[in-house]
Amino acid sequence: MVYTPPSNVTDATRMVSWINSTTDLWLFQGIISAVFVVSLITMLKNQSNTASKSFAASSFIAMLVSVLARTIDLIPTWFMTLWIVMVGLSAVWMYVEGTQ
Amino acid sequence: MINKKGALVLRDVMFMMIIVSGIFVLSGLFVSEMASNYENTNMSNEWAITGTNTIANSTFYDTGSDVAATGDGLSAETGIWSLISGTLNGIGDALFLVLTAPNTIGDLVGGTLQDAGVTVKISDIINYLIVTIFWAIIIFTVISGFLRGGKL
């Protein structure tokens, strides 16, 4: 597969944007997924956090980052929608579990 | 919160529907604000037509308008008949929303899956599966209530 050669890459922002477009927008989708996984594991390590609370907080962080990334056209809309849905599901999970 | 026996009743599904649609509506506000501030019309246009956004909006505002209608009926000053009929109409609308809550959740999930690129055939099957599972749980909970804890 032949990738588009970098052109007009004069600073770090344009370089990241070029890498993202070359990887078909998967660079930032991977970064946001990694942010979710790392924050989830970090929160789960704290004994006072339940699984639903950790899931809700980490998916909320990922949702905030995804909306910011979508604003500058780094991820597709469906990926942002996915995180919004995850926040909704985590709220339902917290309700079902009766988390205070 | 679900009752101590862990049974899912229509009330819980209704609360789930309101919570999910409220979160989607607030997220939609966030997305629209960001798109407006940074003049990314492509983003707001794509988000506006998603099933997640449209179904959540209609669910959230329909519930609000039904509750408002009930409130208007209660505060009617044109006689006892308008008070009773207005209140009953509002309660009837709210009851309809409660009864269709499992279907609304199925529609929300189905619409979201279609936004994510899942074909209509698959999303329809998942939609009906969610609706039937919810109704099965609710109906068996009601029957269990009539049998005073006994199960079929």
Side-chain angles (χ1 to χ4, degrees), chain B residues 107-149:
Chain B
D107 288 345
L108 265 172
V109 176
T112 306
L113 286 173
Q114 281 176 32
D115 296 338
V118 176
T119 57
V120 178
K121 285 178 184 174
I122 306 284
S123 70
D124 272 358
I125 292 168
I126 293 171
N127 184 346
Y128 291 128
L129 196 65
I130 289 169
V131 173
T132 47
I133 286 173
F134 266 135
W135 273 117
I137 293 171
I138 290 161
I139 288 167
F140 281 109
T141 305
V142 171
I143 292 170
S144 176
F146 275 116
L147 296 174
R148 296 183 180 180

Short mmCIF file of all heavy atoms in Angstrom, two decimals, chain B residues 107-149:
data_model
loop_
_atom_site.label_atom_id
_atom_site.label_comp_id
_atom_site.label_asym_id
_atom_site.label_seq_id
_atom_site.Cartn_x
_atom_site.Cartn_y
_atom_site.Cartn_z
N ASP B 107 -35.38 1.35 20.24
CA ASP B 107 -35.17 2.27 19.11
C ASP B 107 -33.86 3.02 19.26
O ASP B 107 -33.14 3.25 18.27
CB ASP B 107 -36.32 3.28 19.04
CG ASP B 107 -37.61 2.64 18.54
OD1 ASP B 107 -37.54 1.51 18.00
OD2 ASP B 107 -38.68 3.26 18.71
N LEU B 108 -33.57 3.45 20.50
CA LEU B 108 -32.32 4.20 20.75
C LEU B 108 -31.10 3.35 20.42
O LEU B 108 -30.19 3.81 19.73
CB LEU B 108 -32.25 4.61 22.23
CG LEU B 108 -32.75 6.00 22.60
CD1 LEU B 108 -32.79 6.16 24.11
CD2 LEU B 108 -31.88 7.07 22.00
N VAL B 109 -31.12 2.10 20.88
CA VAL B 109 -29.98 1.21 20.63
C VAL B 109 -29.89 0.89 19.13
O VAL B 109 -28.81 0.94 18.53
CB VAL B 109 -30.10 -0.09 21.45
CG1 VAL B 109 -28.99 -1.06 21.11
CG2 VAL B 109 -30.06 0.22 22.94
N GLY B 110 -31.05 0.61 18.50
CA GLY B 110 -31.07 0.30 17.07
C GLY B 110 -30.57 1.47 16.24
O GLY B 110 -29.76 1.30 15.32
N GLY B 111 -31.04 2.68 16.56
CA GLY B 111 -30.63 3.89 15.85
C GLY B 111 -29.14 4.14 16.00
O GLY B 111 -28.44 4.50 15.04
N THR B 112 -28.64 3.92 17.21
CA THR B 112 -27.21 4.12 17.46
C THR B 112 -26.37 3.12 16.68
O THR B 112 -25.33 3.47 16.11
CB THR B 112 -26.92 3.97 18.97
OG1 THR B 112 -27.78 4.85 19.67
CG2 THR B 112 -25.49 4.29 19.29
N LEU B 113 -26.83 1.87 16.63
CA LEU B 113 -26.09 0.85 15.87
C LEU B 113 -26.06 1.20 14.38
O LEU B 113 -25.04 1.02 13.71
CB LEU B 113 -26.74 -0.53 16.07
CG LEU B 113 -26.51 -1.18 17.43
CD1 LEU B 113 -27.34 -2.44 17.56
CD2 LEU B 113 -25.03 -1.52 17.63
N GLN B 114 -27.19 1.73 13.88
CA GLN B 114 -27.21 2.13 12.47
C GLN B 114 -26.25 3.29 12.22
O GLN B 114 -25.60 3.36 11.17
CB GLN B 114 -28.61 2.53 12.06
CG GLN B 114 -29.50 1.33 11.78
CD GLN B 114 -30.93 1.74 11.48
OE1 GLN B 114 -31.17 2.79 10.91
NE2 GLN B 114 -31.87 0.91 11.88
N ASP B 115 -26.15 4.22 13.21
CA ASP B 115 -25.18 5.31 13.08
C ASP B 115 -23.76 4.77 12.98
O ASP B 115 -22.90 5.34 12.32
CB ASP B 115 -25.24 6.24 14.29
CG ASP B 115 -26.59 6.95 14.38
OD1 ASP B 115 -27.26 7.03 13.35
OD2 ASP B 115 -26.94 7.39 15.48
N ALA B 116 -23.52 3.66 13.70
CA ALA B 116 -22.17 3.08 13.72
C ALA B 116 -21.91 2.22 12.49
O ALA B 116 -20.84 1.62 12.38
CB ALA B 116 -21.99 2.26 14.99
N GLY B 117 -22.87 2.15 11.57
CA GLY B 117 -22.63 1.45 10.31
C GLY B 117 -23.18 0.04 10.25
O GLY B 117 -22.95 -0.66 9.27
N VAL B 118 -23.91 -0.38 11.30
CA VAL B 118 -24.50 -1.73 11.28
C VAL B 118 -25.69 -1.71 10.31
O VAL B 118 -26.44 -0.74 10.25
CB VAL B 118 -24.96 -2.13 12.70
CG1 VAL B 118 -25.65 -3.48 12.71
CG2 VAL B 118 -23.76 -2.15 13.64
N THR B 119 -25.88 -2.79 9.56
CA THR B 119 -26.97 -2.82 8.58
C THR B 119 -28.33 -2.85 9.29
O THR B 119 -28.42 -3.29 10.45
CB THR B 119 -26.87 -4.05 7.66
OG1 THR B 119 -26.86 -5.21 8.48
CG2 THR B 119 -25.62 -4.01 6.82
N VAL B 120 -29.35 -2.41 8.57
CA VAL B 120 -30.70 -2.29 9.15
C VAL B 120 -31.21 -3.65 9.61
O VAL B 120 -31.86 -3.77 10.65
CB VAL B 120 -31.67 -1.66 8.12
CG1 VAL B 120 -33.07 -1.57 8.69
CG2 VAL B 120 -31.19 -0.29 7.71
N LYS B 121 -30.90 -4.71 8.83
CA LYS B 121 -31.38 -6.06 9.18
C LYS B 121 -30.90 -6.46 10.57
O LYS B 121 -31.67 -6.93 11.41
CB LYS B 121 -30.89 -7.07 8.15
CG LYS B 121 -31.62 -7.02 6.83
CD LYS B 121 -31.04 -8.01 5.86
CE LYS B 121 -31.71 -7.89 4.50
NZ LYS B 121 -31.09 -8.74 3.50
N ILE B 122 -29.60 -6.26 10.82
CA ILE B 122 -29.01 -6.66 12.11
C ILE B 122 -29.55 -5.78 13.23
O ILE B 122 -29.93 -6.27 14.30
CB ILE B 122 -27.47 -6.56 12.06
CG1 ILE B 122 -26.90 -7.34 10.89
CG2 ILE B 122 -26.85 -6.99 13.39
CD1 ILE B 122 -26.87 -8.82 11.05
N SER B 123 -29.57 -4.44 12.99
CA SER B 123 -30.01 -3.53 14.06
C SER B 123 -31.47 -3.76 14.41
O SER B 123 -31.86 -3.64 15.58
CB SER B 123 -29.77 -2.08 13.65
OG SER B 123 -30.66 -1.70 12.64
N ASP B 124 -32.28 -4.12 13.40
CA ASP B 124 -33.70 -4.41 13.67
C ASP B 124 -33.84 -5.64 14.57
O ASP B 124 -34.66 -5.65 15.49
CB ASP B 124 -34.46 -4.64 12.36
CG ASP B 124 -34.99 -3.35 11.78
OD1 ASP B 124 -34.78 -2.31 12.43
OD2 ASP B 124 -35.58 -3.38 10.69
N ILE B 125 -33.04 -6.66 14.29
CA ILE B 125 -33.10 -7.88 15.11
C ILE B 125 -32.72 -7.57 16.55
O ILE B 125 -33.40 -7.98 17.50
CB ILE B 125 -32.16 -8.97 14.52
CG1 ILE B 125 -32.71 -9.45 13.18
CG2 ILE B 125 -32.02 -10.15 15.48
CD1 ILE B 125 -31.75 -10.28 12.38
N ILE B 126 -31.64 -6.78 16.73
CA ILE B 126 -31.19 -6.43 18.09
C ILE B 126 -32.26 -5.58 18.78
O ILE B 126 -32.55 -5.75 19.97
CB ILE B 126 -29.83 -5.70 18.03
CG1 ILE B 126 -28.77 -6.68 17.54
CG2 ILE B 126 -29.44 -5.13 19.38
CD1 ILE B 126 -27.44 -6.08 17.21
N ASN B 127 -32.86 -4.65 18.00
CA ASN B 127 -33.94 -3.80 18.53
C ASN B 127 -35.09 -4.66 19.09
O ASN B 127 -35.49 -4.51 20.25
CB ASN B 127 -34.43 -2.90 17.38
CG ASN B 127 -35.49 -1.91 17.81
OD1 ASN B 127 -36.06 -2.03 18.88
ND2 ASN B 127 -35.75 -0.94 16.97
N TYR B 128 -35.58 -5.60 18.27
CA TYR B 128 -36.71 -6.43 18.71
C TYR B 128 -36.31 -7.37 19.86
O TYR B 128 -37.12 -7.66 20.73
CB TYR B 128 -37.25 -7.24 17.53
CG TYR B 128 -37.95 -6.38 16.51
CD1 TYR B 128 -37.62 -6.42 15.17
CD2 TYR B 128 -38.94 -5.48 16.91
CE1 TYR B 128 -38.23 -5.60 14.24
CE2 TYR B 128 -39.56 -4.65 16.00
CZ TYR B 128 -39.20 -4.72 14.67
OH TYR B 128 -39.81 -3.90 13.76
N LEU B 129 -35.05 -7.79 19.84
CA LEU B 129 -34.56 -8.65 20.92
C LEU B 129 -34.60 -7.90 22.25
O LEU B 129 -35.07 -8.44 23.27
CB LEU B 129 -33.12 -9.09 20.59
CG LEU B 129 -32.55 -10.27 21.37
CD1 LEU B 129 -33.33 -11.52 21.04
CD2 LEU B 129 -31.08 -10.47 21.03
N ILE B 130 -34.13 -6.66 22.25
CA ILE B 130 -34.13 -5.85 23.48
C ILE B 130 -35.56 -5.63 23.96
O ILE B 130 -35.88 -5.79 25.15
CB ILE B 130 -33.42 -4.50 23.23
CG1 ILE B 130 -31.92 -4.73 23.07
CG2 ILE B 130 -33.67 -3.52 24.38
CD1 ILE B 130 -31.16 -3.54 22.57
N VAL B 131 -36.45 -5.26 23.02
CA VAL B 131 -37.84 -4.98 23.39
C VAL B 131 -38.50 -6.23 23.99
O VAL B 131 -39.13 -6.16 25.06
CB VAL B 131 -38.64 -4.50 22.15
CG1 VAL B 131 -40.12 -4.38 22.48
CG2 VAL B 131 -38.12 -3.16 21.68
N THR B 132 -38.31 -7.37 23.34
CA THR B 132 -38.97 -8.60 23.84
C THR B 132 -38.38 -9.04 25.17
O THR B 132 -39.12 -9.49 26.05
CB THR B 132 -38.85 -9.74 22.81
OG1 THR B 132 -37.51 -9.80 22.36
CG2 THR B 132 -39.77 -9.56 21.65
N ILE B 133 -37.06 -8.90 25.35
CA ILE B 133 -36.45 -9.29 26.63
C ILE B 133 -36.98 -8.40 27.75
O ILE B 133 -37.36 -8.89 28.83
CB ILE B 133 -34.90 -9.22 26.54
CG1 ILE B 133 -34.37 -10.40 25.71
CG2 ILE B 133 -34.28 -9.26 27.94
CD1 ILE B 133 -32.90 -10.34 25.43
N PHE B 134 -37.02 -7.08 27.50
CA PHE B 134 -37.55 -6.16 28.52
C PHE B 134 -38.98 -6.52 28.90
O PHE B 134 -39.33 -6.62 30.07
CB PHE B 134 -37.51 -4.71 28.00
CG PHE B 134 -36.26 -3.97 28.40
CD1 PHE B 134 -35.57 -3.19 27.48
CD2 PHE B 134 -35.78 -4.03 29.70
CE1 PHE B 134 -34.43 -2.50 27.84
CE2 PHE B 134 -34.64 -3.34 30.07
CZ PHE B 134 -33.97 -2.58 29.13
N TRP B 135 -39.81 -6.74 27.86
CA TRP B 135 -41.22 -7.04 28.13
C TRP B 135 -41.39 -8.38 28.84
O TRP B 135 -42.23 -8.53 29.72
CB TRP B 135 -42.05 -7.01 26.84
CG TRP B 135 -42.53 -5.63 26.54
CD1 TRP B 135 -42.21 -4.86 25.46
CD2 TRP B 135 -43.40 -4.82 27.33
NE1 TRP B 135 -42.81 -3.63 25.53
CE2 TRP B 135 -43.54 -3.58 26.67
CE3 TRP B 135 -44.05 -5.00 28.55
CZ2 TRP B 135 -44.32 -2.54 27.18
CZ3 TRP B 135 -44.83 -3.97 29.05
CH2 TRP B 135 -44.96 -2.76 28.38
N ALA B 136 -40.55 -9.36 28.46
CA ALA B 136 -40.62 -10.66 29.13
C ALA B 136 -40.30 -10.52 30.61
O ALA B 136 -41.02 -11.05 31.47
CB ALA B 136 -39.65 -11.64 28.46
N ILE B 137 -39.23 -9.77 30.92
CA ILE B 137 -38.85 -9.58 32.33
C ILE B 137 -39.97 -8.87 33.09
O ILE B 137 -40.36 -9.28 34.20
CB ILE B 137 -37.53 -8.76 32.43
CG1 ILE B 137 -36.37 -9.56 31.86
CG2 ILE B 137 -37.24 -8.40 33.88
CD1 ILE B 137 -35.09 -8.76 31.71
N ILE B 138 -40.53 -7.82 32.46
CA ILE B 138 -41.57 -7.03 33.13
C ILE B 138 -42.82 -7.87 33.35
O ILE B 138 -43.40 -7.89 34.45
CB ILE B 138 -41.89 -5.77 32.30
CG1 ILE B 138 -40.71 -4.80 32.37
CG2 ILE B 138 -43.15 -5.09 32.82
CD1 ILE B 138 -40.71 -3.77 31.27
N ILE B 139 -43.24 -8.62 32.33
CA ILE B 139 -44.47 -9.41 32.44
C ILE B 139 -44.31 -10.49 33.51
O ILE B 139 -45.19 -10.69 34.34
CB ILE B 139 -44.83 -10.02 31.06
CG1 ILE B 139 -45.34 -8.92 30.13
CG2 ILE B 139 -45.90 -11.11 31.21
CD1 ILE B 139 -45.43 -9.31 28.68
N PHE B 140 -43.17 -11.16 33.51
CA PHE B 140 -42.97 -12.21 34.53
C PHE B 140 -42.86 -11.62 35.93
O PHE B 140 -43.25 -12.26 36.91
CB PHE B 140 -41.76 -13.08 34.17
CG PHE B 140 -42.06 -14.09 33.11
CD1 PHE B 140 -41.55 -13.97 31.83
CD2 PHE B 140 -42.91 -15.16 33.38
CE1 PHE B 140 -41.86 -14.88 30.84
CE2 PHE B 140 -43.23 -16.09 32.39
CZ PHE B 140 -42.71 -15.95 31.12
N THR B 141 -42.33 -10.39 36.03
CA THR B 141 -42.28 -9.72 37.34
C THR B 141 -43.69 -9.41 37.83
O THR B 141 -44.02 -9.60 39.01
CB THR B 141 -41.46 -8.42 37.25
OG1 THR B 141 -40.18 -8.72 36.72
CG2 THR B 141 -41.30 -7.77 38.62
N VAL B 142 -44.56 -8.94 36.90
CA VAL B 142 -45.95 -8.63 37.26
C VAL B 142 -46.68 -9.91 37.68
O VAL B 142 -47.39 -9.93 38.70
CB VAL B 142 -46.67 -7.96 36.06
CG1 VAL B 142 -48.16 -7.83 36.32
CG2 VAL B 142 -46.08 -6.59 35.79
N ILE B 143 -46.48 -10.99 36.91
CA ILE B 143 -47.13 -12.27 37.26
C ILE B 143 -46.65 -12.74 38.63
O ILE B 143 -47.43 -13.20 39.47
CB ILE B 143 -46.84 -13.33 36.18
CG1 ILE B 143 -47.55 -12.94 34.88
CG2 ILE B 143 -47.30 -14.71 36.62
CD1 ILE B 143 -47.15 -13.77 33.69
N SER B 144 -45.33 -12.59 38.86
CA SER B 144 -44.76 -12.98 40.15
C SER B 144 -45.38 -12.15 41.28
O SER B 144 -45.60 -12.66 42.38
CB SER B 144 -43.24 -12.81 40.11
OG SER B 144 -42.68 -13.09 41.35
N GLY B 145 -45.66 -10.86 40.98
CA GLY B 145 -46.31 -9.99 41.98
C GLY B 145 -47.70 -10.51 42.31
O GLY B 145 -48.11 -10.53 43.49
N PHE B 146 -48.46 -10.93 41.28
CA PHE B 146 -49.81 -11.47 41.52
C PHE B 146 -49.75 -12.77 42.32
O PHE B 146 -50.63 -13.05 43.14
CB PHE B 146 -50.53 -11.72 40.19
CG PHE B 146 -51.20 -10.48 39.67
CD1 PHE B 146 -50.79 -9.90 38.47
CD2 PHE B 146 -52.25 -9.88 40.37
CE1 PHE B 146 -51.41 -8.76 38.00
CE2 PHE B 146 -52.85 -8.74 39.91
CZ PHE B 146 -52.44 -8.17 38.72
N LEU B 147 -48.73 -13.58 42.05
CA LEU B 147 -48.60 -14.87 42.75
C LEU B 147 -47.91 -14.73 44.10
O LEU B 147 -47.55 -15.72 44.70
CB LEU B 147 -47.81 -15.86 41.85
CG LEU B 147 -48.48 -16.23 40.53
CD1 LEU B 147 -47.55 -17.09 39.68
CD2 LEU B 147 -49.79 -16.97 40.77
N ARG B 148 -47.66 -13.47 44.52
CA ARG B 148 -47.01 -13.17 45.80
C ARG B 148 -45.66 -13.87 45.95
O ARG B 148 -45.42 -14.59 46.92
CB ARG B 148 -47.92 -13.54 46.97
CG ARG B 148 -49.19 -12.70 46.97
CD ARG B 148 -50.05 -13.02 48.13
NE ARG B 148 -51.25 -12.20 48.10
CZ ARG B 148 -52.19 -12.26 48.99
NH1 ARG B 148 -52.09 -13.11 50.02
NH2 ARG B 148 -53.26 -11.52 48.91
N GLY B 149 -44.81 -13.67 44.95
CA GLY B 149 -43.46 -14.22 45.02
C GLY B 149 -43.29 -15.52 44.28
O GLY B 149 -42.17 -15.93 43.99
#
